[in-house]
Amino acid sequence: ALNMFGNLHLLCLVSSVLAGCVPEWLQGTLLRNGPGLFKVGDTEYNHWFDGMALIHSFTFKDGDVYYRSKFLRSDTFKKNTQANKIVVSEFGTMIYPDPCKNIFSKAFSYLLAAIPDFTDNNLINIIRYGEDYYASSEVNYINQIDPMTLDVIGKMNYRNHIALNMATSHPHYDDEGNTYNMGTALMRFGMTMFFPSPDKEHKKPALRKVKQVCNIPFRSTLFPSYFHSFGMTENYIIFVEQPLKLDIVRLATAIFRSVNWASCLRYDKEDITLIHLVDKTTGKAVSTKFYTDALVVFHHINAFEDDGHVVFDMVTYKDSNLYEMFYLANLRKETHEFIESNNVNFSPPVCQRFVLPLTVDKDTPKGTNLVRLKDTTAKTVMQGDGSLYCLPETIFEGLELPGINYKFNGKKYRYFYGSRVEWTPHPNKIGKGDIVTRKYIEWTEEDCYPSEPVFVATPGAVEEDDGVILSSVVSLNPKKSPFMLVLNAKTFEEIARASIDASIHMDLHGHFIPTQEHQLT
């Protein structure tokens, strides 16, 4: 990371294609985001998710691939680099008041920390509002970027447009250009769904005009549920209120207790998981209480409506230990040592399908399964108090960072793509799952670590998996250059790889922008 720190702006043309050819129809830019700098001066972050954001892009034009990378010039980045040390707290790394300050300055610093003003180190994803693109994380700040130069255009605060303290980095997009997102309003004790209205003339940011879709009160005002994503169909929003909770009192007093914000998350394995189904038009939640066993979820895969049911798929865990795996002290362990120390606590990701019946007769006998669909084993069982207990169907085990053909988002679908997670926090395989046949295919190569697979459809495609998979690949082998991998989405056979004469970091999420949405240079 220190070597990359000196290389703040890089552009290179990839002229060597090691095998095959990049399809001529593939025109656009893949933006990727993730942590890229973990040490500033003599100070170092504790957690991989704390590293300063490094955005990189792969532009496909006429069979060539252009690569560019740049650290996100956030206020956090500027403050840290100017001080030559980490001065802004992150989720797993807390910065405490300078012991050299006088008692009044220290007391004021503690008071400010009681209501955290979060970092704007937006390292998780690239999201779109209207025609604008933003680097995002899960806090109230997002940074608008130029998708071609990767320069920061401006910093936005959700609070200036809607009362939110945090918002997800996994919004949904509809065919009308709207972006639906969900956030936490701590002072209003609830979860808020919202979407900005796009400016057709693109003269003002879409966020200037935000419409609230719904507000769901927390079960507990002092222990709101953490959420990373949500589900959406044509007519419904799915919010999973999981028992991974944020301790508000601990959050407000974290700096007094000398603990980081990550320690404010608590998983209650004895609790249940509530499933909220909200009508997008009315903003009202359906009256039926849906629930399932305790689980942890970060990523929804897809959701759709089918014959009077809402079906949604997501990647679940039995506990919250995944976050612990990514502390840098853990990642620096040798592979065998890492496996030994995490084997007992490791909960593999499980892709599960839940089915919610939309019509419920309260006189239905206790113990009756209300799911009428024939192509799933998922059940929703009537309880004595009129609530419905959901028993999911397991689709696949071991896939995370799921993606689909986004034209099928909110619709019935068959295929999903993801990173294979085994006994390492860094996936070395990407795969494709067929929900109908339950067949699975994958791509892997020795010493290679591919990023989250991104599907791009062939122009005019009719079949769901007619397109390519894009993944940036890094290698621990110094003799093997990093490369952009292009796979046939149907077969997972390699179509092309474009080597990159630069150092590439492992990232998290990204966004593909077709040529017609921006001007390639």
Side-chain angles (χ1 to χ4, degrees), residues 153-201:
I153 297 174
K155 178 180 175 179
M156 301 286 285
N157 187 345
Y158 282 119
R159 291 183 198 168
N160 294 336
H161 309 280
I162 189 169
L164 290 177
N165 299 90
M166 293 173 277
T168 84
S169 282
H170 292 286
H172 288 274
Y173 309 98
D174 67 16
D175 295 335
E176 283 71 47
N178 297 309
T179 301
Y180 289 79
N181 206 349
M182 185 176 288
T184 300
L186 295 178
M187 301 308 294
R188 295 175 66 181
F189 309 114
M191 179 284 302
T192 298
M193 162 64 62
F194 65 95
F195 73 90
S197 299
D199 180 9
K200 294 182 180 179
E201 297 182 359

Side-chain angles (χ1 to χ4, degrees), residues 358-505:
L358 292 173
T359 302
V360 178
D361 183 351
K362 292 298 183 180
D363 294 328
T364 301
K366 177 183 176 181
T368 302
N369 174 27
L370 277 70
V371 176
R372 304 185 311 275
L373 301 180
K374 303 300 182 183
D375 58 353
T376 180
T377 59
K379 297 179 180 180
T380 298
V381 181
M382 176 64 75
Q383 303 299 295
D385 61 357
S387 64
L388 295 181
Y389 172 52
C390 301
L391 292 163
E393 173 188 13
T394 295
I395 299 173
F396 190 81
E397 294 187 7
L399 276 185
E400 247 291 10
L401 305 178
I404 61 171
N405 178 344
Y406 205 77
K407 292 180 180 179
F408 287 79
N409 189 58
K411 303 177 178 68
K412 192 167 186 177
Y413 73 115
R414 178 172 177 173
Y415 305 106
F416 69 102
Y417 312 90
S419 299
R420 189 69 189 266
V421 178
E422 296 174 310
W423 295 111
T424 170
H426 299 311
N428 58 2
K429 302 173 184 177
I430 51 177
K432 171 187 179 182
D434 184 330
I435 297 174
V436 175
T437 66
R438 302 303 164 96
K439 292 182 178 179
Y440 168 78
I441 54 177
E442 67 183 19
W443 178 92
T444 185
E445 186 169 300
E446 187 176 1
D447 295 329
C448 288
Y449 297 87
S451 70
E452 160 197 70
V454 175
F455 178 90
V456 182
T458 303
V462 176
E463 295 179 304
E464 182 182 340
D465 59 348
D466 184 359
V468 297
I469 292 294
L470 305 179
S471 177
S472 60
V473 182
V474 300
S475 176
L476 297 180
N477 186 343
K479 296 181 180 180
K480 182 177 292 188
S481 297
F483 57 93
M484 168 52 60
L485 177 67
V486 183
L487 300 178
N488 181 325
K490 284 182 174 292
T491 64
F492 253 51
E493 294 176 351
E494 184 173 324
I495 296 175
R497 65 172 66 187
S499 61
I500 309 296
D501 188 19
S503 178
I504 292 183
H505 67 301

Side-chain angles (χ1 to χ4, degrees), residues 1 4-5 8 33-41 43 45 47-55 70-82 84-88 90 119-124 505-506:
M4 295 176 69
F5 182 64
L8 298 181
N33 197 359
L37 183 66
F38 303 94
K39 187 175 182 180
V40 183
T43 58
Y45 288 113
H47 200 278
W48 191 68
F49 293 158
D50 293 343
M52 284 198 284
L54 178 59
I55 300 174
K70 196 170 190 179
F71 282 99
L72 179 71
R73 296 305 205 283
S74 62
D75 287 347
T76 296
F77 178 89
K78 294 173 184 176
K79 291 175 182 178
N80 287 344
T81 53
Q82 288 172 4
N84 195 32
K85 64 178 181 179
I86 299 171
V87 296
V88 180
E90 299 290 342
T119 172
D120 69 334
N121 178 32
N122 304 127
L123 58 89
I124 294 180
H505 67 301
M506 296 190 70

